[in-house]
Amino acid sequence: MADHPEIAAPAVPEPRRRHAGRYLAALGVASALLPVRGISQSRSSTDIVSLQEQQTLLKRELTRALGNVELLEGRVKIQVQSLADNGNSVPCTILVDSPMTPEDHVRELHMFAAINPRPFVLKAHFSPANPQARLDTRLRLAGSQRLMAVAIMSDGRAFSGTADVQVSVSACVDGS
């Protein structure tokens, strides 16, 4: 047998998965430092929206949901706290002055929140079988804003009511 000089084994590079792990960890740290903004959130929840801008937003949403309906004032009352500590669950009652007879009753009730990422909040159906046109609910609000409720009557007329609410801690900031 011949003597063979010992051959040094080539240096083995560090496994690629270790490099990938370090890369992903660095990427995670970097992305955690970047500001996050929801896709459907058109404005920051800290932006102050004037009452006139809110009226414009409500009119646009109303047209989108109900078409060019002529709104009459009165008959709709929104009962909501004027100051809510938290926008995640704001109690709200909507009352419509209606006899709820087959000839004169509320057919639909719509609710809008001016600066929410999705301003069209709810739609409820009523019939003469309902003893009164009343809806109790809880709203998730993106901040201080104007609310609008629209009642569509059995004869096609539309009545509206508004209420303003100040919210200390906003909800809906994630765009949902």
Side-chain angles (χ1 to χ4, degrees):
M1 285 208 218
D3 290 321
H4 294 286
E6 291 193 24
I7 301 175
V12 178
E14 191 174 339
R16 292 183 193 258
R17 67 178 177 259
R18 287 188 190 163
H19 288 295
R22 287 183 187 143
Y23 174 76
L24 290 174
L27 184 62
V29 168
S31 66
L33 298 175
L34 294 175
V36 177
R37 185 178 180 117
I39 293 172
S40 66
Q41 187 176 0
S42 61
R43 64 178 78 240
S44 168
S45 62
T46 60
D47 288 348
I48 297 174
V49 181
S50 74
L51 193 55
Q52 184 176 5
E53 288 176 299
Q54 289 186 44
Q55 284 297 115
T56 303
L57 292 168
L58 286 170
K59 187 174 182 176
R60 184 182 70 216
E61 285 302 315
L62 182 67
T63 302
R64 183 179 296 158
L66 302 174
N68 290 324
V69 64
E70 181 184 341
L71 290 181
L72 303 170
E73 291 294 319
R75 293 183 77 169
V76 178
K77 183 176 182 182
I78 302 172
Q79 295 177 340
V80 65
Q81 308 167 20
S82 59
L83 178 62
D85 293 334
N86 185 321
N88 285 315
S89 183
V90 179
C92 178
T93 299
I94 307 165
L95 300 164
V96 183
D97 181 21
S98 172
M100 296 305 285
T101 63
E103 300 79 32
D104 186 11
H105 65 273
V106 176
R107 193 176 62 211
E108 295 176 359
L109 187 61
H110 301 264
M111 181 77 169
F112 301 90
I115 65 169
N116 273 11
R118 295 185 186 129
F120 184 55
V121 177
L122 67 86
K123 177 181 180 180
H125 296 273
F126 291 86
S127 77
N130 294 101
Q132 63 179 338
R134 176 189 175 120
L135 179 70
D136 294 305
T137 188
R138 291 185 175 270
L139 303 172
R140 186 169 183 198
L141 300 176
S144 299
Q145 60 186 297
R146 174 159 284 183
L147 305 174
M148 176 186 274
V150 177
I152 307 295
M153 307 304 286
S154 55
D155 62 4
R157 293 179 297 159
F159 291 93
S160 69
T162 60
D164 295 318
V165 61
Q166 298 293 317
V167 177
S168 298
V169 179
S170 299
C172 303
V173 292
D174 62 352
S176 63

